[in-house]
Amino acid sequence: MESIYWVMAWACHRKCRHCYEDRFRPYVRQNLEAVVAEAERNTPRVLANLPPRMTYLDRDDPAPDGTLPEKTGRIILSGGEALLDPVRERVTYKVIEGLVARYRGAGGVKIVVQTTGDLLRPDIVRDLLDRGVWMISVAGVDDFHVGLEGEAKQAEFKAVLTAMMEAEGMRAAGVASTHRKWFEEEGPLFSFFGATPDAWIGKLWPRGRAWQNGLSTATIEDNFCNRWSGGLGFLNHGVNGSEVSIEPDGSVYPCCIKTRLPLGNLAEERLLDILDSLSEDPVYQAINAGKPERMGLADGWSEAMFREKSQTLDPKGRPYANLCIGCDRFHEEVLGARIEAARARRLAVTA
């Protein structure tokens, strides 16, 4: 598989108003222990149910004889905040060690740790590199993060972290690279991004606190499904373009945005079994093709009906329309029983 985005724990030290998930927030005392314990309990189970190899065939880079090269995929470890105490020691470091051990001799894996960046210290950078991390990705460089408003503050923040990571032998992604894609570079690398109009996320998703605060400006024409980290290509786990997202309880989704209901749960079943069991379902074929408006055709939802279902009022009372809304409603009104039936069939086979 090319990519897995694994949210290991909900705990974060920030409560950003643009966050796509309202469970990412500060927890204290018993509540913090509960979310960390959930991660400790489930991460070994998820790890055991990941693909046996994290490699893929790249259809976009054929050899002269037409054969497809096998390339090493990546697992992005995130939160919340993956470097927060006590998540860092009890969860993140153990997951990194487990991934390195699992894929040693099986094509390897490129491990990315995603962080807001403001908890990074030289000793933590060394700890990550010593355990085999390929990239540290700093995801909090934008005006929504308190203390980083404006280009000057963001530039200063990046300069401090750049110096810190370069001192540990890391280099910026894309620098002096002869490869077609930055994620094919030799590590260790670092990168920066944030929720900016020109970033991969573009317009904010209609999710979490971003939705509650009325910050999404996406329209019906903004198809989040038909792009990287959307549902596009998620079923095609043997070739380039496939990515899924995992929550702390093991729930797995076809996109980082997350459908209303998960595909299955990696705390109890294998990822490839889940994907293969859904490969012929027209609903998931539509998501896989990046055409969510077609997901209900076999169930009496025309594309026009889907677009109608995609209209709503946002929490501020303003008219809003996006295909993610229609996807949510289709899951709520149609898919629940089918997803549970597919899960029961898979578990019956493995029982």
Side-chain angles (χ1 to χ4, degrees), residues 332-346:
E332 292 166 350
E333 297 179 25
V334 178
L335 269 191
R338 279 171 54 184
I339 290 175
E340 185 55 35
R343 172 182 173 276
R345 288 194 297 270
R346 291 192 303 269

Side-chain angles (χ1 to χ4, degrees), residues 15-19 144 204 207-216 314-316 318:
K15 191 177 180 180
C16 299
R17 63 191 182 94
H18 76 302
C19 189
F144 291 106
L204 295 174
R207 292 290 188 266
R209 286 192 294 275
W211 177 247
Q212 295 162 12
N213 292 324
L215 297 177
S216 176
D314 75 4
K316 301 297 183 181
R318 299 170 300 191

